[in-house]
Amino acid sequence: MAGFPRQLLLLLLLGSVTPVKAQVVPATGDERLPQELFETGKALYLEGKRSDGQPIAARVRGDVTLQGTQYACVTCHRRSGIGSSEGGDQVLPVTATALFSPRISSLHDNYPNGGMHHETRPAYTAESLGRALRQGIDPAGRELSPLMPRFVLTDHEVKALSSYLAHLSVAAAPGVDTEQIHFATVITPGNEAARDALLDVLTTFFRDKNAGTRGETRRAQNAPYHKAWVYESYRRWQLHEWTLQGPEETWPAQLHALYEKQPVFAVLGGVGLGDWQPIHHFCEEQQLPCLMPQLSIPPSNADRDFYSLYFSRGVELEAQALARHLDDTPERPLEVVQVRDQRYAAIAATKQLQQTLARHEDILLKEVVVEPGKMPAADFWARLAEEYADAVWVLWLGEESLQKFDLPPGTAHPPAIYVSASLQRDVSALKQHPQHPHFTLLSPYRAADNDKNSMRFRTWARLRKIPVRDLHLQSSAFLAATLVGETLMHMRSNFSREYFLERIEHIMDNMINPSLYPRISLAPGQRYAVKGCYVWEMDKSFDTAQWVVP
């Protein structure tokens, strides 16, 4: 029902008080296999699908019947089950500890002598959970908020949902103990220079973080009640370098071996050439957060997954932004020539631009492939200029190939030459190219070395004597590490990977951004933080660049 008030989706199942930590898991009494029951409950919670595969149905505001997978519990209670808030209404936890224990109202229970406590509702059971879901009555006999939908569920579905909730966020994730939290960073083959620049930042950040943690841990022992929660998440951070070797088909086995040797709470940063899909699939399979690796092309299906977050869509975003830019050009070109090499990202970018421009039947698209091992030289470009003199050129080439770009004297340049920032190791080197005044750069990040946002990182690096070898990569790694620190501080001791990612979604667009990426933000279901791309004519100041959102 279009335009229906969004607040009706809020599932206000619990009162606004603090649960005790004892856990009582209800018995389901179902004769079916526990795994089958669990999977049925999981589909109800995450997908809003009933046991017959049909979308869940519910009544809201007393008599309005609605149906659809958007009424899944995860919509408001989130994947972690820890809840959320919207419009001043708080959606509280539905984890095993929260649901299946009595809810206790506490006042200053962190004081040494305790405070006032009284039970506000008994623990939920499978039976009382069913009554709450179907009739909106809690275990104490009180009516729940009208914002809580009343669901149409069978007894078996209630038992299945109860089974799933009984196992939701019942323990800290792997990679965390009472003293340490482990992270990994992934380096794929061919990224030796980027590896050194990345590790300069991460190892120094971890060292600084651990130096401060010693003092915070001591301070926590005498913290006032209203600040004690801040210190519950403090752990020493341990960084593990996962350097992959050999062909991509061997990476999953290497990742499994590394993870088995030392489980980690999350993958932080990383650099990759080629297809990142094996790492993405591993992290989704292990339910392991993978945060902001530096890639020319992340997996394009991340919005359908949960555990991996990326800065942008890389070259695919550039291709989409270019198509939008050409649409908005007063005299749209009639011919576009894409010149690419054989690398995975260049192939993906070419396909993306072809697909996006396919709606324009009046644009003639051509593709020129640079043969492996052959750098296009002056004669190559001269022949290209002769054949496609009036076409727009799009060069999906790395800096090695672009270094050979040159046109003989007297040769007319094409109307526009677009190049990709995501395929360059260092955009600042591109600015030194003798032909760069003829280039228009496609970039999801600012290409200005004196960018004000990055001043915080550059100052941090200078004080620690860290060489800034790659401002874009290193400031992005600093942003990712800072984001993790901010997020963990607000998690208390809830070391749920799902809650960790949910907090990142909330925190990202409110934190200070020390990277070259502008306007970073995430929302539930979004897995790419940057939604637009700069289109910069490099003979002009970067301040003249257009920001294009496809």
Side-chain angles (χ1 to χ4, degrees):
M1 180 178 293
F4 207 80
R6 189 177 180 187
Q7 287 81 359
L8 294 183
L9 298 178
L10 297 174
L11 310 183
L12 299 177
L13 187 57
L14 306 174
S16 57
V17 282
T18 305
V20 295
K21 295 185 178 180
Q23 178 185 331
V24 181
V25 179
T28 64
D30 196 282
E31 68 279 2
R32 299 194 179 199
L33 291 174
Q35 186 61 30
E36 179 185 345
L37 199 66
F38 176 85
E39 293 298 331
T40 299
K42 181 178 180 180
L44 277 166
Y45 188 89
L46 295 180
E47 303 175 48
K49 292 183 179 179
R50 304 184 64 186
S51 54
D52 60 1
Q54 295 300 309
I56 199 168
R59 288 181 296 104
V60 293
R61 295 294 183 184
D63 59 354
V64 180
T65 301
L66 300 174
Q67 186 176 27
T69 55
Q70 68 268 32
Y71 297 104
C73 309
V74 71
T75 303
C76 297
H77 290 290
R78 307 304 310 278
R79 186 178 288 253
S80 67
I82 294 178
S84 61
S85 62
E86 185 167 335
D89 293 305
Q90 189 174 9
V91 183
L92 290 173
V94 291
T95 58
T97 302
L99 275 182
F100 304 122
S101 300
R103 182 160 287 279
I104 306 298
S105 176
S106 305
L107 178 62
H108 306 334
D109 57 357
N110 286 309
Y111 277 137
N113 296 326
M116 299 183 298
H117 305 267
H118 67 276
E119 182 177 288
T120 60
R121 66 149 176 81
Y124 273 91
T125 64
E127 181 180 357
S128 61
L129 180 62
R131 185 170 63 165
L133 290 168
R134 292 185 288 212
Q135 302 175 34
I137 304 297
D138 79 356
R142 295 171 300 202
E143 185 174 2
L144 298 174
S145 166
L147 299 179
M148 169 69 183
R150 277 53 168 168
F151 294 98
V152 178
L153 297 170
T154 66
D155 289 344
H156 174 69
E157 289 166 343
V158 170
K159 292 176 182 178
L161 186 56
S162 179
S163 174
Y164 177 75
L165 295 175
H167 293 83
L168 190 61
S169 300
V170 297
V176 181
D177 57 33
T178 57
E179 296 182 353
Q180 297 185 100
I181 180 167
H182 295 266
F183 297 91
T185 192
V186 176
I187 314 294
T188 66
N191 289 284
E192 289 74 17
R195 167 196 176 273
D196 294 341
L198 174 72
L199 291 180
D200 279 348
V201 173
L202 292 184
T203 55
T204 303
F205 192 99
F206 275 51
R207 184 194 65 203
D208 288 358
K209 171 67 177 62
N210 289 335
T213 297
R214 291 195 298 268
E216 302 297 353
T217 303
R218 290 193 296 268
R219 192 175 293 120
Q221 298 173 0
N222 298 298
Y225 78 89
H226 66 287
K227 293 290 287 184
W229 66 272
V230 174
Y231 304 103
E232 293 181 20
S233 64
Y234 278 103
R235 304 286 193 282
R236 285 187 57 81
W237 289 18
Q238 295 293 331
L239 180 65
H240 304 271
E241 180 187 347
W242 288 359
T243 300
L244 304 180
Q245 306 291 339
E248 294 172 6
E249 57 267 24
T250 67
W251 294 355
Q254 295 179 51
L255 290 167
H256 279 284
L258 290 164
Y259 185 74
E260 184 176 353
K261 180 179 179 181
Q262 175 56 67
V264 297
F265 180 69
V267 171
L268 173 58
V271 288
L273 294 175
D275 188 1
W276 188 261
Q277 189 66 45
I279 298 98
H280 177 93
H281 179 74
F282 171 81
C283 291
E284 294 298 320
E285 180 183 59
Q286 297 295 328
Q287 300 181 348
L288 174 65
C290 179
L291 308 176
M292 308 301 182
Q294 196 64 48
L295 311 171
S296 56
I297 177 166
S300 59
N301 60 350
D303 278 338
R304 299 197 299 268
D305 294 322
F306 181 77
Y307 290 93
S308 298
L309 303 179
Y310 300 101
F311 282 114
S312 79
R313 295 180 184 272
V315 292
E316 289 190 339
L317 173 64
E318 293 173 353
Q320 292 168 347
L322 174 57
R324 175 66 181 272
H325 172 69
L326 294 177
D327 278 346
D328 295 339
T329 301
E331 296 182 3
R332 193 171 65 215
L334 298 179
E335 189 172 16
V336 175
V337 176
Q338 298 191 87
V339 183
R340 67 163 178 85
D341 55 27
Q342 299 282 17
R343 73 182 70 191
Y344 176 81
I347 296 172
T350 302
K351 289 181 178 178
Q352 182 64 63
L353 188 59
Q354 288 172 343
Q355 293 171 5
T356 310
L357 289 179
R359 64 181 180 271
H360 298 301
E361 297 181 357
D362 59 331
I363 295 182
L364 180 62
L365 281 167
K366 295 288 186 177
E367 181 178 346
V368 178
V369 180
V370 177
E371 296 181 22
K374 292 186 178 180
M375 295 293 181
D379 59 339
F380 170 88
W381 297 113
R383 290 194 304 271
L384 199 70
E386 182 178 352
E387 187 171 357
Y388 302 109
D390 298 325
V392 164
W393 292 8
V394 185
L395 309 183
W396 301 115
L397 300 171
E399 59 190 35
E400 300 88 351
S401 298
L402 282 178
Q403 286 173 359
K404 300 292 184 180
F405 176 81
D406 195 13
L407 289 176
T411 304
H413 284 79
I417 303 173
Y418 294 93
V419 296
S420 163
S422 295
L423 293 178
Q424 312 307 311
R425 286 197 178 95
D426 186 1
V427 170
S428 62
L430 189 61
K431 299 174 190 175
Q432 309 305 317
H433 195 288
Q435 295 285 339
H436 87 269
H438 300 286
F439 293 160
T440 298
L441 185 68
L442 305 168
S443 176
Y445 59 91
R446 291 181 59 84
D449 291 338
N450 60 349
D451 178 72
K452 293 180 180 179
N453 281 0
S454 67
M455 185 176 295
R456 181 187 180 196
F457 164 71
R458 287 183 279 124
T459 301
W460 178 87
R462 185 176 66 253
L463 293 175
R464 288 156 181 79
K465 297 181 172 56
I466 296 175
V468 180
R469 315 176 194 203
D470 186 330
L471 177 61
H472 171 49
L473 183 151
Q474 291 177 291
S475 64
S476 300
F478 182 70
L479 166 62
T482 303
L483 179 63
V484 169
E486 291 285 332
T487 303
L488 288 176
M489 188 177 70
H490 289 84
M491 288 179 62
R492 304 186 65 167
S493 57
N494 296 312
F495 285 104
S496 157
R497 288 169 169 173
E498 293 75 18
Y499 186 52
F500 175 62
L501 291 166
E502 291 161 10
R503 294 300 305 169
I504 286 177
E505 293 172 358
H506 179 75
I507 288 172
M508 175 171 282
D509 58 352
N510 294 315
M511 68 176 293
I512 297 175
N513 176 11
S515 76
L516 297 180
Y517 285 108
R519 313 178 197 187
I520 55 173
S521 66
L522 287 172
Q526 294 181 351
R527 289 299 173 260
Y528 304 97
V530 179
K531 314 301 191 293
C533 178
Y534 287 108
V535 180
W536 174 36
E537 296 178 31
M538 295 187 69
D539 62 333
K540 301 177 182 178
S541 166
F542 187 82
D543 293 336
T544 66
Q546 300 178 47
W547 178 253
V548 179
V549 179

